[in-house]
Amino acid sequence: MIYPIVAYGDPVLKKKASPIDKDFEGLSQLIEDMYETMENAHGVGLAAPQIGKAIRIFIVDASPFAEEGEPDYEVLKDFKKTFINAQIIEEVGEPWAFNEGCLSIPEIREDVFRKPKVTIRYFDENFNEFNETFEGLPARIIQHEYDHIEGILFTDRLSTLRKRLLKGKLSNISKGKIVADYRMRFPLK
Ligand code: NI
């Protein structure tokens, strides 16, 4: 099932999401639906709050970034993972800029600074626990999605000036005055 994606301005995107337990009802179906929803929208990541659920699940898929012949091709093409109850342990290195976008904020892309290396503890879809370190684009996608389960959007990380310049566009998104090639749910429409 493809869920509509919740647009900027919906309170669920500002909420800190809650952990779930192993017996969470319908978990495997929900994860399957999240992959279907992400793929339908051509996203590289999707967090449960973006389908209206304030729980600590997000999925990532870096394969759209994988370009044959590039040195990180192998890493990116297979980087598809489910993160449940994730906790970032540490982020290290000199912050670097990457032009980020978000399925909940269509038509806006901005440079966001984040540290290049992230260590994260999480459970996979079978509730196996992992403690892993990621770098580069995989780290970047994880940090963006992790922010979602903490109630943070990439626009929250922009300068006051950038935020002010984007205000009108963001309010149009909340009102549904945009065109997205996937189904969305708008808080002010
Ligand atoms: Ni996002």
Side-chain angles (χ1 to χ4, degrees):
M1 178 188 134
I2 295 171
Y3 281 91
I5 289 174
V6 167
Y8 180 91
D10 191 300
V12 74
L13 296 175
K14 302 298 287 177
K15 244 188 187 169
K16 190 178 158 95
S18 310
I20 58 163
D21 61 42
K22 253 206 227 38
D23 312 312
F24 187 84
E25 212 187 305
L27 179 61
S28 55
Q29 184 63 52
L30 175 63
I31 291 169
E32 198 181 299
D33 291 344
M34 284 179 69
Y35 276 100
E36 204 183 336
T37 303
M38 176 175 71
E39 277 152 23
N40 176 256
H42 305 289
V44 295
L46 181 75
Q50 294 182 277
I51 56 163
K53 298 181 189 296
I55 51 177
R56 297 182 80 81
I57 305 178
F58 63 83
I59 59 172
V60 300
D61 177 7
S63 62
F65 284 126
E67 280 178 53
E68 237 164 314
E70 293 292 315
D72 52 1
Y73 175 68
E74 289 298 324
V75 179
L76 295 178
K77 115 179 136 51
D78 298 323
F79 188 70
K80 200 168 174 179
K81 269 180 193 297
T82 304
F83 294 79
I84 298 174
N85 297 347
Q87 286 295 340
I88 284 185
I89 308 298
E90 71 167 348
E91 289 171 288
V92 293
E94 198 53 45
W96 65 296
F98 184 77
N99 201 246
E100 293 188 23
C102 181
L103 295 178
S104 295
I105 314 175
E107 294 178 357
I108 294 182
R109 298 197 69 92
E110 290 287 330
D111 280 353
V112 180
F113 281 86
R114 300 185 192 267
K115 291 178 178 174
K117 210 167 177 178
V118 60
T119 301
I120 191 166
R121 196 176 69 216
Y122 66 97
F123 295 87
D124 70 4
E125 59 278 17
N126 302 312
F127 262 86
N128 296 311
E129 193 173 359
F130 292 87
N131 195 322
E132 280 184 285
T133 301
F134 299 93
E135 284 181 78
L137 279 176
R140 173 65 61 156
I141 303 170
I142 288 169
Q143 288 161 320
H144 177 113
E145 298 310 322
Y146 183 83
D147 268 357
H148 274 300
I149 62 169
E150 292 288 304
I152 300 165
L153 299 171
F154 82 83
T155 46
D156 296 327
R157 297 196 175 276
L158 303 175
S159 69
T160 314
L161 174 64
R162 285 310 302 164
K163 274 190 263 201
R164 202 182 314 146
L165 292 170
L166 288 171
K167 221 175 157 195
K169 271 189 171 178
L170 289 169
S171 114
N172 280 343
I173 293 174
S174 300
K175 292 175 191 151
K177 292 184 187 162
I178 41 132
V179 185
D181 59 3
Y182 44 88
R183 200 151 62 91
M184 295 190 77
R185 192 178 95 192
F186 303 99
L188 299 178
K189 192 182 177 180

